[in-house]
Amino acid sequence: TFSPGCPCPQPAEEKAQLLQNSEYQERMVESTFLYLTLDLPTAPLYKDEKEQLIIPQVPLFSILAKFNGSTEKEYKTYKENFLKRFQLTRLPPYLIFCIKRFTKNNFFVEKNPTIVNFPITNVDLREYLSEEVQAAHAHTTYDLIANIVHDGKPSEGSYRIHVLHHGTGKWYELQDLQVTDILPQMITLSEAYIQIWKRREEDETNQQGA
């Protein structure tokens, strides 16, 4: 993943002028990663006509756009503000997504309840690779094999995990010592927190039947 840094003043004309200054030239840094952090948008909670809360939803590919090489994300420190862009340069056999649901401040931890809509098979990440390395990746499609869910409030919540049994293609839900069957369609309705994806090789067949 690389992250060119640049200043982020407004308007755009002022930014363009500053980029001519050597102090503000974009910089590229390549680094390894253990997992990819996916940022959730702010979650406004609306109420319907029955005064029931409506939980917002966002497609997986919307939050994956962070790694398309063009989306800019602003970072602030005590000394400066800057922008970063991210793009993948290599795809490993397994990918871990960490969906950033928790925000910590000086007083408490807040949880974003936004539901992420995602397919559990055939997620192609080729477009998130830089053009110069795409040709080196024959396989860029991933299938979900594990999904960790957080339920409830940050301080009182609990965890569940959905796991694919590779031999049968069936999904199971594990919570403490309880193991139950679960339909693949139900997995996508959960408050996913951490996901593990397996790259599909050419000789593999899809047994998940999503």
Side-chain angles (χ1 to χ4, degrees), residues 17-105:
Q17 291 178 356
L18 284 175
L19 285 176
Q20 302 301 318
N21 191 320
S22 59
E23 179 183 355
Y24 297 119
Q25 290 297 307
E26 291 190 344
R27 293 176 288 110
M28 182 182 298
V29 177
E30 185 170 337
S31 61
T32 57
F33 62 87
L34 178 62
Y35 57 86
L36 298 179
T37 301
L38 305 183
D39 304 311
L40 287 176
T42 304
L45 298 180
Y46 303 101
K47 290 186 177 181
D48 60 15
E49 61 275 6
K50 297 181 180 179
E51 293 299 309
Q52 294 180 337
L53 287 178
I54 300 175
I55 305 297
Q57 301 182 29
V58 62
L60 174 64
F61 291 102
S62 292
I63 56 178
L64 274 173
K66 173 183 178 180
F67 299 98
N68 63 12
S70 59
T71 298
E72 294 182 333
K73 179 175 174 58
E74 182 177 1
Y75 291 83
K76 296 182 179 181
T77 67
Y78 291 108
K79 296 183 179 180
E80 59 181 350
N81 294 356
F82 55 93
L83 298 176
K84 284 188 176 183
R85 298 198 304 269
F86 300 92
Q87 190 165 35
L88 303 179
T89 59
R90 188 178 306 171
L91 290 176
Y94 294 89
L95 270 176
I96 300 175
F97 292 164
C98 180
I99 299 172
K100 192 175 181 181
R101 292 199 172 276
F102 302 99
T103 303
K104 182 182 296 185
N105 57 34

Side-chain angles (χ1 to χ4, degrees), residues 179-195:
V179 180
T180 57
D181 298 349
I182 186 171
L183 294 174
Q185 298 89 331
M186 301 300 296
I187 296 173
T188 62
L189 302 177
S190 62
E191 294 183 21
Y193 178 38
I194 297 175
Q195 297 182 328

